Amino acid sequence: MPAALLDIDGTLVDSNYHHAAVWDDVLRANGLAVPRWRLHAAVGIGGDGYVRAVAGDEVERRLGDDLREAHGERFAELIGEVRALPGAETLIERLVEAGHAVVLCSSAGAGEADHYVGLLGVRDAVEWTTSADVDRTKPSPELLEVALGKAGAKTGVMVGDSVWT
């Protein structure tokens, strides 16, 4: 039976607009205006690649680490507003009941992902991956390879909300 790999941000929890808004605030505070639709479209790319994707190589070299740090600090102020999406916990429970190894996959940091797993109420039923488990996050396949390893599976089905999943 294939493993069920489930993206967290935007798939199981309603956080995409929070991320896009925070990135918009952080970029504008640093004199960078990127259309919000572009910021939203890039949500799902891990923080290690996000700045480059939306603002280019030069901004990444000059400000990447500072922008990621500012995003993390600002997002931490808003994480309490993030909610589990309706039916997310039921989906996970049914997959587990059907015998699938379920691994939640996130390019988020360990603390953020842990918060989301708590929101979903499935801490004892699943494994999860975070940016702490890999050298490169999505869209690199490394996160999914680690997830398959945690599931003890060679194959899996990935469910996510973006092309970066």
Side-chain angles (χ1 to χ4, degrees):
M1 185 172 291
L5 311 179
L6 306 176
D7 176 54
I8 298 176
D9 271 303
T11 303
L12 300 174
V13 301
D14 192 10
S15 59
N16 286 356
Y17 293 101
H18 294 82
H19 280 294
V22 169
W23 278 116
D24 188 39
D25 290 347
V26 167
L27 290 165
R28 287 180 187 279
N30 283 274
L32 303 164
V34 177
R36 196 173 276 193
W37 69 265
R38 265 184 75 198
L39 300 175
H40 182 259
V43 170
I45 296 175
D48 57 332
Y50 188 88
V51 173
R52 178 174 280 109
V54 300
D57 291 337
E58 189 274 328
V59 172
E60 170 60 36
R61 278 190 302 278
R62 194 167 46 87
L63 297 171
D65 290 339
D66 292 339
L67 293 171
R68 280 184 286 281
E69 182 177 343
H71 174 273
E73 290 170 0
R74 175 75 177 112
F75 192 79
E77 296 170 7
L78 298 179
I79 198 167
E81 296 178 12
V82 174
R83 301 286 180 258
L85 285 162
E89 183 178 357
T90 301
L91 169 65
I92 295 165
E93 289 170 350
R94 288 191 178 160
L95 287 167
V96 170
E97 288 168 4
H100 292 277
V102 176
V103 182
L104 309 184
C105 303
S106 179
S107 291
E112 187 178 323
D114 184 68
H115 176 79
Y116 295 151
V117 172
L119 278 179
L120 293 163
V122 296
R123 188 175 307 283
D124 296 331
V126 299
E127 296 282 338
W128 60 92
T129 62
T130 72
S131 61
D133 298 322
V134 296
D135 292 325
R136 292 181 45 225
T137 61
K138 295 181 288 182
S140 166
E142 189 177 352
L143 194 69
L144 303 182
E145 292 164 355
V146 169
L148 284 172
K150 286 188 175 203
K154 292 184 181 190
T155 63
V157 175
M158 179 70 195
V159 177
D161 66 308
S162 78
V163 298
W164 313 113
T165 300

